[in-house]
Amino acid sequence: SALFNKMTLPYEPAMLIYPHIDPVALALGPLKIHWYGLMYLFGFAAAYGLALWRGKRMGWSQDQVADLIFYGAMGVILGGRIGYVFFYGFDRFLNDPLWLFRIWEGGMSFHGGLLGVLVAGAVFARQYKAPGMEITGLLAVITPPGLSFGRIGNCIGGELWGRPVTDPDFAWGMVFPHVDAFARHPSQLYEAVLEGLVLFIILFVFTLKPRPRMAAAAVFLIGYGCARFTVEFFREPDADQGFVLFDWMTKGQMLTAPMIISGLILLALAYRKGGNMPATR
């Protein structure tokens, strides 16, 4: 780009160039299918497959699993949008309440989606008269792959980029020419690996043996919280948010810290009460 050609790097690090992937994966006349939407679809499909496998061990029917995924999907979409509006753009919402419904303009929040899924899980539990913590334990195991797909979608969209690389020997700095000419941390991919792949492996292995009902949900909260809190040190703060506390804490870290604390408390309570009824079988 013109910006890239005019700017000069302060050093010559080893780096990658963002490949300018078209956000539209498939266009059929006026119908456009975006990569980000496909990532959501892949995430829900992975969750459904995992839930089917886990559900058999828990004595669930295929219809129950399908309903859980539907409820969860609604929780992710509605909660993610409402959370983004209230956590990151409440002033704009006050000036323009209809912005809440203009989803096509972008804006989803993980923390809002998490709250939405918890509400959806509670509704599902009430409908099927199932133990709420058993449901959250299952949701904890099947959620990370969707998080990974979502972060890959962020990378494809060239959004939520990382902070500039300060070490000239850093091996995988990435230049986003639509941002500037400096090598940056590909923080979207860090999150895809830590919040998605690594967290899934931890939860999958952890739940192979019977655990107290609250334990899997607690491990998810702790694992995601630690991964997100850490990666935020490499991710560029949102331009309209900046650092919200202590001149170093981002909005993502502020929202994530309570997850870690809640997870630790929940894990302590889970093992204090014992594990007579496992979250997954």
Side-chain angles (χ1 to χ4, degrees), residues 101-176:
F101 304 100
R102 295 200 291 271
I103 299 178
W104 58 89
E105 294 184 6
M108 297 287 282
S109 162
F110 163 80
H111 297 91
L114 175 63
L115 294 175
V117 169
L118 290 176
V119 172
V123 173
F124 177 88
R126 183 172 182 177
Q127 178 178 342
Y128 281 97
K129 296 180 174 57
M133 293 311 302
E134 182 175 279
I135 293 170
T136 56
L138 176 60
L139 289 171
V141 178
I142 67 177
T143 295
L147 299 179
S148 189
F149 282 119
R151 295 309 181 187
I152 293 173
N154 291 145
C155 188
I156 291 175
E159 59 188 8
L160 305 183
W161 50 82
R163 303 182 193 184
V165 172
T166 56
D167 182 358
D169 296 322
F170 190 72
W172 52 79
M174 180 175 288
V175 173
F176 295 86

Side-chain angles (χ1 to χ4, degrees), residues 178-199:
H178 61 289
V179 180
D180 54 34
F182 296 94
R184 293 175 173 273
H185 289 279
S187 55
Q188 314 99 318
L189 300 182
Y190 297 173
E191 291 187 88
V193 172
L194 292 179
E195 300 169 6
L197 178 61
V198 173
L199 183 56

Side-chain angles (χ1 to χ4, degrees), residues 236-258:
E236 186 75 18
D238 295 329
D240 61 337
Q241 301 289 327
F243 296 110
V244 297
L245 285 175
F246 313 122
D247 293 327
W248 63 264
M249 182 176 283
T250 66
K251 177 64 74 68
Q253 289 172 320
M254 185 182 75
L255 294 172
T256 298

